[in-house]
Amino acid sequence: MPPEETRPDSETPRARSTAAPRARQPYRHSRPVFDLTLHIQSEYARRLLRDREFRPAMHALYGIEVILHLVSDDTEAERVEALIHARLEGLADELQREIARLQVLLTDQGLERTRPRYTHPLDVTIHVASPAMALYANLIQELDRLSVGLDTLWLSGLLAGKERLAAAKRWRQRIGGAGQEFIGLHRRAYAAAERQGQRDAVEAAAREVLSMPEEEGDDPAEAPDTSSEENT
């Protein structure tokens, strides 16, 4: 008796590829970036750099530029950018004049080459992706220079502690206040982009914003409470 022929199972499906289609990667612009390393020594400049507002301020400065070119014409974008630069450059000019005044005092006392040693300096690398970001980072570096001069005069017995703290605190607040202004402006610009249906484009660009990386070490929330010192 001849063997029965083996028939293909009509119910068996053909082998199918289980490989999922490769997701298309979003286009990423190749943007120019400066890696700017700040060496911060003094307490008030260090605190300003570690404030939770610093990163949002840096993101805002870059985000404003991105949004303006999406929702405004070139003339309006350039006008707003000029206002931001004027704000930052105005603070820088005032700060540099104050540093120059302190330098004269130090020179008169033979202290032009004298500087204190700081127990907990901070080195931070900031990825600068716009001119405004560079200007804001420079303000913090200049605040550190001012604070070093104030500390030198104080340690030499030439400046009262209360005056030293008041000057450093005032400048920290002014620079931090400017950062808050930029954060507010960024929120308003983002809202305008949403109204024009540009939300997806803005968020895609925002993912490419580069600012201060997370730093290993101290948590800003663990910074000591020195409010009693500030009030002395």
Side-chain angles (χ1 to χ4, degrees):
M1 183 174 181
E4 295 183 1
E5 294 183 4
T6 303
R7 296 181 179 180
D9 187 353
S10 60
E11 297 181 0
T12 302
R14 293 183 179 180
R16 296 179 181 177
S17 173
T18 59
R22 179 178 294 181
R24 183 177 179 181
Q25 296 297 317
Y27 183 79
R28 303 297 296 271
H29 292 278
S30 180
R31 302 185 184 279
V33 175
F34 279 141
D35 289 335
L36 176 63
T37 299
L38 301 182
H39 179 65
I40 302 299
Q41 303 177 89
S42 62
E43 178 61 21
Y44 275 95
R46 186 178 186 272
R47 272 192 247 171
L48 183 60
L49 190 64
R50 300 296 298 274
D51 275 350
R52 284 184 170 84
E53 289 81 10
F54 175 74
R55 181 186 295 273
M58 294 295 272
H59 277 258
L61 285 169
Y62 181 69
I64 290 167
E65 180 179 320
V66 171
I67 293 172
L68 284 174
H69 289 282
L70 287 172
V71 303
S72 305
D73 58 34
D74 289 344
T75 301
E76 177 64 12
E78 289 174 4
R79 186 187 71 81
V80 176
E81 288 173 5
L83 289 173
I84 292 172
H85 284 218
R87 179 80 169 95
L88 291 168
E89 289 167 355
L91 282 172
D93 288 344
E94 286 187 59
L95 192 48
Q96 287 164 6
R97 286 197 296 271
E98 185 66 13
I99 291 170
R101 186 184 69 82
L102 288 183
Q103 190 60 42
V104 170
L105 294 175
L106 291 167
T107 300
D108 289 344
Q109 297 296 327
L111 298 171
E112 65 272 17
R113 296 183 180 276
T114 301
R115 294 294 182 270
R117 177 180 64 83
Y118 288 84
T119 57
H120 294 89
L122 182 67
D123 289 311
V124 173
T125 298
I126 301 172
H127 304 315
V128 175
S130 78
M133 292 173 71
L135 290 170
Y136 192 73
N138 184 65
L139 282 176
I140 298 175
Q141 188 73 76
E142 292 296 280
L143 173 60
D144 190 60
R145 288 182 59 203
L146 175 75
S147 297
V148 169
L150 292 169
D151 292 344
T152 302
L153 290 170
W154 172 65
L155 287 171
S156 301
L158 301 171
L159 183 67
K162 189 172 184 178
E163 292 180 39
R164 160 186 165 254
L165 290 173
K169 185 177 179 181
R170 180 173 66 253
W171 275 104
R172 178 196 176 201
Q173 290 173 339
R174 291 189 68 185
I175 296 170
Q180 287 296 319
E181 292 174 18
F182 302 138
I183 292 170
L185 179 58
H186 178 255
R187 287 173 181 158
R188 292 192 295 274
Y190 187 89
E194 278 193 309
R195 289 193 296 270
Q196 295 188 23
Q198 295 282 2
R199 178 176 179 176
D200 290 344
V202 168
E203 290 184 348
R207 285 193 290 270
E208 300 182 21
V209 173
L210 300 170
S211 68
M212 187 179 74
E214 293 291 349
E215 183 191 358
E216 297 178 0
D218 300 334
D219 186 334
E222 298 175 357
D225 181 4
T226 56
S227 56
S228 60
E229 177 187 358
E230 293 176 7
N231 294 328
T232 57

